[in-house]
């Protein structure tokens, strides 16, 4: 370190100055008392070595010291540091030479001339180089630089790449025999969802060195599209009876009676609407004349040829059309469009209780 070199030079001077001063003073006495009165010993030290000279000029101002050194063939260059000390009757001029430090930064290299003892932090500041928070320097900032050292500054930049991905709305097909085969009717339109993925990218001197992709984060959930697909024999009802068994023709094996050719219509309900029996209005709840078919009666409903199947049904609602005898049953559907497709149909009603 700079202080170590100064200390070495200073110790060297201290150890030998008595002998040197004594020798030089003896030389002065031999020359003559008049010369002795005007001359003194000056000890000159620098990294390459040291010497003692006899000078009639007292070390003082910088220009005087510079002239004294030049008479000894020693030139002070830019950034050289000169220290003057006095002790034991001798003057000492300690020269600390400037250092040349190559600095590589932003794709170019420069050589900085710096005073001895300069730190890496001071070297960057002297060259007008700003250090970013993530930048990497080849030496710690507080390192005292020496001749032969070099500094390499690598610019570090961290960026984020945000990618939004569309999550397509899933399609749920619900098969129903109220529609002609293959016909599609959308019961609920879907909407796409989205998720976001953040990738952290690290660049060193403009080159990507690291990429870290985080876990995708859901922005909003896709809403499924529910569509009805016509399929002969597919049940409309959402109800199911555990004790119901059908034969190979799709007819209940056990029932109390059957009403063939019953006249039916279809209906739907508004959101939040209830039923006369208090049951939840879902496909499978049918409107009846409760005087003829009590609420809670279980039925299985299908066309005679089995192409249309309403399926498991429970009496749970009523209406004028039933009580006045216009139709036998009004079958509940999940949407108004489905109920319109039902129209007026003749079905067989199998009473299961």
């Amino acid at each position: 370190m700079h202080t170590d070199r100064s200390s070495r030079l200073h110790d060297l001077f201290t150890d030998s100055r008595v002998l040197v001063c004594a020798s030089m003073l003896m030389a002065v006495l031999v020359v003559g008392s008049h010369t002795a009165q005007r001359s003194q010993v000056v000890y000159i030290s620098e990294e390459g070595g040291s010497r003692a000279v006899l000078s009639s000029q007292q070390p003082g101002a910088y220009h005087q010291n510079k002239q004294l050194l030049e008479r000894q063939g020693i030139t002070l260059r830019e950034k050289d540091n000169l220290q003057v000390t006095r002790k034991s009757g001798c003057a000492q001029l300690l020269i600390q030479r400037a250092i040349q430090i190559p600095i590589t930064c932003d794709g170019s290299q420069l050589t900085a001339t710096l005073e001895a003892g300069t730190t890496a932090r001071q070297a960057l500041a002297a060259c007008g180089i700003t250090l970013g928070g993530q930048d990497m320097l080849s030496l710690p900032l507080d390192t005292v630089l020496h001749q032969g050292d070099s500094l390499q500054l690598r610019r570090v930049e961290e960026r984020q790449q945000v990618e939004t991905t569309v999550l397509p709305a899933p399609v749920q097909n619900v098969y129903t025999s109220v529609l002609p085969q293959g016909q599609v009717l959308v019961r609920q339109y879907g909407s796409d969802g989205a998720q976001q993925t953040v990738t952290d990218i690290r660049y060193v001197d403009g080159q990507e060195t690291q990429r870290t992709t985080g876990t995708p984060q859901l922005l909003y959930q896709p809403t499924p599209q529910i569509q009805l697909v016509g399929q002969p024999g597919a049940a409309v009802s959402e109800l199911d009876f555990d004790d119901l068994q059908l034969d190979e023709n799709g007819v209940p094996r056990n029932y109390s009676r059957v009403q063939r050719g019953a006249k039916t219509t279809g209906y739907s309900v508004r959101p939040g609407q209830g039923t006369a029996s208090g049951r939840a209005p879902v496909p499978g709840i049918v409107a009846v004349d409760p005087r003829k078919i009590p609420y809670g009666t279980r039925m299985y409903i299908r066309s005679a040829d089995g192409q249309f199947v309403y399926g498991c049904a429970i009496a749970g609602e009523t209406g004028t059309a039933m009580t006045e005898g216009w139709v036998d049953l009004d079958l509940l559907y999940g949407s108004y469009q489905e109920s319109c497709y039902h129209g007026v149909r003749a079905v067989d009603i199998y009473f299961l209780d």
Side-chain angles (χ1 to χ4, degrees), residues 89-104:
C90 292
Q92 180 187 25
L93 296 181
L94 177 60
I95 303 171
Q96 292 178 304
R97 293 295 186 182
I99 56 176
Q100 304 289 318
I101 302 297
I103 301 178
T104 302

Side-chain angles (χ1 to χ4, degrees), residues 255-302:
Y255 55 89
S256 59
R257 64 187 180 93
V258 60
Q259 180 180 348
R260 300 190 183 279
K263 187 178 181 181
T264 63
T265 53
Y267 78 104
S268 63
V269 297
R270 298 183 300 274
Q273 182 177 334
T275 62
S277 66
R279 294 177 182 272
V282 296
I285 298 298
V286 298
V288 299
D289 181 348
R291 295 170 301 181
K292 298 177 181 179
I293 304 175
Y295 293 142
T297 299
R298 300 191 307 159
M299 296 161 277
Y300 189 81
I301 302 170
R302 51 165 277 169

